[in-house]
Amino acid sequence: MFVSDILSRKGGLVYTVTPGTSVAQISQQLSTRRIGSVLVLDAGSSVAGIVSERDLVRAFASHGAAALEFEARNVMTRDVVTCDPDDSIDHVMEQMTRGRFRHLPVVRHGELLGLVSIGDVVKARLEEARHETEALRAYIVAG
Ligand code: AMP
């Protein structure tokens, strides 16, 4: 199974903010949309960074309520790791494990095509395992 299979099911919607969006607004978005991160796009629509709930927790732990006034540019991770639609689910799992993050934007030729979360990856992997089990069972019964 590949990243493109996940995107064909969940679609390519990615929630984004600008570098000037406040931490208060980002917290609101994460809460109301029930998501764990937002991508930060610059004026030219290219990926400038990513802000996840972990970045917010870190900012609140260090700065308390004052962090609500910070902007995305102050808390985001700038070196965003991305994946390709043709990457396998296993490869993406490895990337997430190695990088210790749970979100991967999908980019091809500079174009943002979607975002996969660890939840999407686990769901896809479980489905794959279920299909494998069913195929094996059918093979045994047929034999
Ligand atoms: P997460 O586990 O995705 O909530 O993120 C944990 C940390 O990794 C946070 O500091 C995020 O900003 C950062 N992060 C999340 N996704 C990525 C990514 N695709 N590339 C680089 N850093 C990331």
Side-chain angles (χ1 to χ4, degrees):
M1 210 180 264
F2 298 91
V3 167
S4 54
D5 296 315
I6 295 181
L7 289 191
S8 66
R9 262 168 247 172
K10 74 173 273 194
L13 178 66
V14 184
Y15 292 108
T16 64
V17 298
T18 66
T21 306
S22 72
V23 161
Q25 286 171 309
I26 295 173
S27 305
Q28 200 63 56
Q29 278 206 29
L30 296 187
S31 170
T32 53
R33 299 191 194 287
R34 297 171 181 271
I35 54 173
S37 72
V38 285
L39 218 51
V40 185
L41 298 188
D42 64 20
S45 288
S46 53
V47 177
I50 188 165
V51 178
S52 92
E53 44 204 2
R54 279 215 190 145
D55 301 311
L56 301 186
V57 167
R58 222 175 277 142
F60 291 130
S62 304
H63 304 279
L68 286 167
E69 310 293 327
F70 291 1
E71 294 180 345
R73 59 168 60 86
N74 307 127
V75 297
M76 68 188 186
T77 300
R78 289 167 192 271
D79 292 326
V80 181
V81 180
T82 62
C83 65
D84 185 272
D86 287 343
D87 286 344
S88 70
I89 303 295
D90 285 352
H91 177 71
V92 159
M93 280 176 96
E94 256 177 55
Q95 271 186 307
M96 288 181 172
T97 307
R98 209 173 326 118
R100 294 174 180 271
F101 46 68
R102 298 164 293 177
H103 302 91
L104 266 181
V106 187
V107 175
R108 175 171 270 180
H109 306 312
E111 191 191 349
L112 179 63
L113 300 176
L115 185 139
V116 294
S117 73
I118 197 157
D120 300 324
V121 171
V122 169
K123 200 166 141 199
R125 193 66 194 88
L126 279 175
E127 213 173 290
E128 207 171 35
R130 211 167 13 241
H131 284 145
E132 281 167 9
T133 308
E134 276 166 20
L136 273 176
R137 198 172 284 143
Y139 175 75
I140 291 165
V141 171

